[in-house]
Amino acid sequence: MDLTKEKRLWMYRKMYEIRRFELEVDRLFKANMIWGTCHLSVGEEATAVGAIAALEADDMITSTHRGHGHCIAKGGRLPQMFAELLGRETGYCRGRGGSMHIADIETGNLGANGIVGGGVPIATGAALASKMKKDGKVTLCFFGDGANNQGVFHESLNIASLWRLPVVYLCENNLYGMSVAFSRSTAVKNVADRAAAYDMPGEIVDGNDVEAVYHVVKKAVERARRGEGPSLIEAKTYRWLGHSKSDANVYRTKEEIEEWKQKCPIKRYRLKLVEEKIATEEELDRIEKEVEREIQDAIEYAKNSPEPSLEDIADGVYA
Amino acid sequence: MAEKLYIDALREGLREEMQRDESVFLLGEDIGIYGGAFGVTRGLIDEFGEERVIDTPISEQAIVGMAVGAALSGMRPIAEIMFFDFLTLAMDQLINQGAKIRYMFGGKAKVPMVVRAPMGSGTGAAAQHSQSFPGVFAHFPGLKVVIPSTPYDVKGLIKAAIRDDNPVVFAEHKLLYRVKGEVPDEDYVLPLGKADVKRKGRDITIVAGSIMVIRALEAAKELEKEGIDVEVIDPRTLKPLDMRTIIDSVKKTGRVLIVEDDPMSFGWGAEVAAGIAGSEAFDYLDAPVKRLAGLDIPIPYNPNLERHAVPQVENIVEAVRELLR
Ligand SMILES: Cc1ncc(C[n+]2csc(CCOP(=O)(O)OP(=O)(O)O)c2C)c(N)n1
């Protein structure tokens, strides 16, 4: 279709950025510089990037508890993200939100969410607003396979279909909701099968193939923009690391994890770009070096940022 | 008597009741092989199997609603909600169904169920994973609400909650799971609706619940050095609320400080304050009733802000000094 070299390199860069960002988060967490908990999406980068690549800049997304990748792909800035995780005043939420609540209204990111399924009706409502305002925007709703069993998921999809709202529901099926395997939580074989119940298209895509995700989501976004209503897309992928910082990983085997590591979306895309002569190894190395520098600068920025002041503790409770 | 962690005492209570009564079972998210997000149910699946330690999909409304239905049909379900915050997703089933069924049916049905959940801030989990709002449930007729503060209490009270024929909301504070205390090995049950005098004192009464009991006791130790003798009352259950014990204490000391983990506005502390003001203890008061509670804000992520959002030991010490000034 319409993937330029520039866009392809952008996709490579963003996936690499997400990977490096999260590995640094992991490191800073272990060094006790990050407080609380956080959920990393290492291994799932292609879904976030491929899907968001199919949007226009002023389209909107809602995100999940595992939202760093979505935020970065939507244009979130690394310094403000690190600053948020370090609890600093310069962070996206002025140190009040942390990993699970980063939002960036400017880039159309309506927020990560600590409540599983919480973003699904919010995305639907944003799409309703677009329809009412006729602003031509589409909202992309990220959610996990676990979230597809919340009542609000079903309520939202029904309404979105009924009212032909410009929204795309994108399930990142990483095969587990915390310790519960998808097959033990969900009565159908695929989340996408549920689309039939709401009379909307349901598509399954290899979530580790960034271009495949892009093409499927692009089609759904165009449909939504034409006023034909929502779609449900299921990207099959895998999270390499534990659910959060306190997961002993007792519910899955080392072999399974290893097998999925072999399907690394970034390595795989790199190979493709070089094989298809879209980029040289040197070009890709250069991108990686640039990202590396940006990451280190962003961490420095965060470390040198001030803590929020106690006097302002109640700022923002009301408008 | 052995020293045990709160979390182990709680698990022991669950285990003993499951052994005692076949109709007791657990359901919730990740409570099986994972053992629950905080490890409360660790190992129980090995002992009781998947039929009685049931991993559910992420469906809070269904979890609580199914507990209501199973209780109505002769079982004694214990539903775990992973974080207290997520009880909001199950409000209809808890409040409009579970709490009301017995009365609506003319007293001809029973709903013997427990909903357990860890509440509270102090772990950096931010606004949607850190709330304490047990008082909300105490507002609704038909529910009982328990806020156990010590390993001894948590074991005795979970057993009482399980044996109770009403829906009980059992609010554990996640910072208490690692607190140690004496717990007897033999079977014991603590009555719901009976406050406990956690420390005897002469000069002032502190009424504190959940984690604030631990902080009040620490504050009392501090204040002792200044010659201030603090009495600490732990209501243990918010509904039913044992006002008698509180009133008797205030009559003795003449001063009272109420300490809550929840946000101040419309909190259970106001209920206690009104209970004191409306009782004979009012005539014994040497100072106005004072409340310390969480700020009226969502819990912030940043550790300094987070700490500041709910009362700490030093705030309690300061408030007592003020009351005695
Ligand atoms: C309403 C609610 N219930 C439970 C949780 C605890 N929790 C957080 S993430 C999670 C698993 C979510 O699984 P899934 O939707 O598949 O997303 P994944 O973590 O796999 O990315 C659970 C149970 C929560 N945050 N919100």
Side-chain angles (χ1 to χ4, degrees):
Chain A
M1 232 158 28
D2 52 342
L3 275 174
T4 60
K5 169 172 178 170
E6 194 192 355
K7 185 122 192 174
R8 287 182 153 129
L9 292 185
W10 177 88
M11 297 205 291
Y12 185 76
R13 172 189 286 265
K14 285 295 149 184
M15 285 203 286
Y16 192 76
E17 242 176 72
I18 295 169
R19 175 70 57 90
R20 288 295 302 126
F21 177 86
E22 296 207 297
L23 292 177
E24 286 296 312
V25 168
D26 196 40
R27 186 180 67 78
L28 293 168
F29 200 96
K30 286 173 182 145
N32 285 326
M33 293 188 60
I34 290 176
W35 173 226
T37 189
C38 55
H39 308 79
L40 304 178
S41 67
V42 175
E44 305 180 25
E45 297 87 350
T47 303
V49 172
I52 286 171
L55 298 178
E56 298 300 326
D58 59 0
D59 286 333
M60 295 174 286
I61 64 163
T62 60
S63 174
T64 66
H65 58 288
R66 205 177 296 289
H68 301 150
H70 310 146
C71 185
I72 291 173
K74 196 70 179 75
R77 289 183 304 265
L78 301 176
Q80 282 79 350
M81 289 180 70
F82 275 120
E84 187 54 38
L85 292 179
L86 265 57
R88 305 305 163 102
E89 182 68 26
T90 53
Y92 267 117
C93 317
R94 300 180 61 201
R96 282 138 176 92
S99 163
M100 257 189 298
H101 305 293
I102 296 184
D104 183 11
I105 301 294
E106 226 170 273
T107 61
N109 177 357
L110 303 186
N113 209 312
I115 304 296
V116 168
V120 181
I122 295 177
T124 310
L128 172 64
S130 286
K131 187 176 175 185
M132 294 173 81
K133 296 195 289 181
K134 300 188 176 56
D135 63 10
K137 293 186 195 177
V138 171
T139 303
L140 176 70
C141 173
F142 286 104
F143 63 98
D145 49 294
N148 100 103
N149 296 310
Q150 287 286 23
V152 76
F153 167 82
H154 300 275
E155 297 178 22
S156 301
L157 268 69
N158 179 58
I159 291 174
S161 175
L162 198 62
W163 299 348
R164 296 206 181 289
L165 299 181
V167 52
V168 176
Y169 298 102
L170 179 72
C171 179
E172 294 174 296
N173 187 348
N174 58 19
L175 309 187
Y176 292 87
M178 220 158 137
S179 70
V180 177
F182 177 62
S183 60
R184 291 182 59 230
S185 77
T186 303
V188 284
K189 282 240 152 34
N190 307 289
V191 174
D193 297 348
R194 292 194 154 158
Y198 309 107
D199 191 27
M200 64 174 77
E203 295 255 17
I204 297 171
V205 63
D206 177 349
N208 281 25
D209 179 343
V210 68
E211 291 192 6
V213 174
Y214 167 82
H215 289 301
V216 169
V217 175
K218 183 89 182 163
K219 207 169 77 184
V221 167
E222 282 168 359
R223 173 185 148 86
R225 225 181 298 276
R226 284 194 305 267
E228 290 169 23
S231 308
L232 173 60
I233 298 168
E234 175 180 12
K236 305 267 195 195
T237 181
Y238 198 79
R239 86 172 136 68
W240 291 10
L241 305 177
H243 166 70
S244 66
K245 303 315 298 178
S246 48
D247 179 355
N249 252 322
V250 286
Y251 50 87
R252 51 184 198 175
T253 62
K254 284 209 174 64
E255 292 71 35
E256 183 184 290
I257 299 172
E258 222 19 74
E259 199 180 302
W260 274 93
K261 283 188 176 171
Q262 299 307 314
K263 302 182 201 167
C264 173
I266 301 177
K267 266 199 200 135
R268 175 171 164 186
Y269 199 44
R270 187 182 173 105
L271 220 61
K272 178 181 161 95
L273 290 176
V274 173
E275 260 174 19
E276 293 183 5
K277 299 210 178 344
I278 294 166
T280 61
E281 300 271 5
E282 291 71 36
E283 272 175 286
L284 298 174
D285 286 345
R286 202 176 322 121
I287 289 175
E288 293 184 7
K289 278 218 188 72
E290 278 169 25
V291 169
E292 202 58 51
R293 198 171 326 116
E294 276 173 33
I295 295 265
Q296 294 313 324
D297 290 350
I299 294 174
E300 272 315 295
Y301 171 86
K303 280 187 186 168
N304 294 326
S305 289
E307 299 259 347
S309 128
L310 282 181
E311 276 145 49
D312 302 336
I313 194 167
D315 274 13
V317 178
Y318 295 103
Chain B
M1 247 196 284
E3 285 251 311
K4 283 172 196 159
L5 292 176
Y6 183 101
I7 192 168
D8 296 331
L10 171 58
R11 187 185 312 108
E12 242 176 56
L14 294 171
R15 178 188 292 120
E16 287 175 16
E17 291 307 296
M18 289 179 80
Q19 286 166 344
R20 196 183 59 80
D21 182 350
E22 286 260 298
S23 63
V24 177
F25 70 100
L26 311 179
L27 77 167
E29 293 159 15
D30 301 279
I31 63 172
I33 182 171
Y34 199 93
F38 294 89
V40 173
T41 56
R42 198 159 287 155
L44 293 181
I45 193 166
D46 303 324
E47 190 174 342
F48 299 103
E50 288 182 8
E51 304 241 301
R52 290 179 72 198
V53 181
I54 309 174
D55 270 339
T56 67
I58 307 169
S59 307
E60 283 79 7
Q61 177 156 220
I63 294 168
V64 172
M66 285 168 62
V68 172
L72 199 51
S73 315
M75 299 297 281
R76 291 187 171 272
I78 305 169
E80 173 173 306
I81 296 296
M82 197 181 285
F83 285 78
F84 202 80
D85 313 64
F86 312 157
L87 269 170
T88 55
L89 282 83
M91 279 310 217
D92 176 63
Q93 288 300 322
L94 200 50
I95 288 168
N96 290 326
Q97 312 296 339
K100 302 214 167 29
I101 279 180
R102 181 176 164 77
Y103 187 78
M104 286 192 309
F105 292 6
K108 289 181 184 151
K110 288 188 303 197
V111 186
M113 60 181 274
V114 179
V115 180
R116 299 182 26 244
M119 65 179 183
S121 60
T123 64
Q128 295 173 332
H129 284 73
S130 301
Q131 296 165 88
S132 294
F133 49 84
V136 166
F137 298 97
H139 182 69
F140 291 98
L143 296 179
K144 294 189 178 181
V145 181
V146 188
I147 53 168
S149 66
T150 66
Y152 175 78
D153 288 358
V154 81
K155 183 171 172 188
L157 290 167
I158 191 70
K159 284 165 153 278
I162 295 168
R163 295 182 195 188
D164 198 280
D165 278 339
N166 300 285
V168 180
V169 174
F170 200 83
E172 301 148 19
H173 195 292
K174 48 182 97 87
L175 294 188
L176 289 173
Y177 285 139
R178 300 284 138 204
V179 169
K180 254 194 177 168
E182 303 262 291
V183 180
D185 285 320
E186 70 269 12
D187 183 32
Y188 66 97
V189 180
L190 296 173
L192 304 184
K194 184 87 198 74
D196 186 39
V197 183
K198 284 279 184 302
R199 185 186 197 278
K200 278 199 181 312
R202 226 183 18 248
D203 299 328
I204 180 169
T205 300
I206 298 182
V207 181
S210 187
I211 184 82
M212 293 303 161
V213 174
I214 308 303
R215 293 189 188 155
L217 289 170
E218 264 182 60
K221 247 194 250 163
E222 277 294 306
L223 290 157
E224 194 176 62
K225 293 179 204 153
E226 303 168 20
I228 301 171
D229 191 13
V230 176
E231 178 144 305
V232 178
I233 309 276
D234 175 1
R236 295 202 292 209
T237 59
L238 293 182
K239 188 85 155 268
L241 180 63
D242 177 8
M243 274 310 296
R244 189 70 259 159
T245 302
I246 296 170
I247 289 166
D248 288 344
S249 172
V250 175
K251 276 163 72 180
K252 181 174 74 173
T253 62
R255 288 184 169 81
V256 61
L257 171 70
I258 303 159
V259 193
E260 301 154 81
D261 194 37
D262 325 26
M264 171 83 88
S265 295
F266 304 91
W268 60 261
E271 182 68 27
V272 173
I276 295 166
S279 77
E280 79 269 19
F282 183 73
D283 294 331
Y284 294 77
L285 283 176
D286 297 323
V289 176
K290 192 172 172 65
R291 286 177 70 198
L292 257 189
L295 301 179
D296 284 319
I297 62 169
I299 299 294
Y301 165 71
N302 173 283
N304 301 329
L305 298 187
E306 184 186 28
R307 199 173 176 282
H308 202 69
V310 297
Q312 304 294 332
V313 175
E314 64 267 23
N315 307 121
I316 300 175
V317 168
E318 190 45 44
V320 168
R321 282 190 195 132
E322 258 174 49
L323 262 175
L324 282 158
R325 208 164 277 150

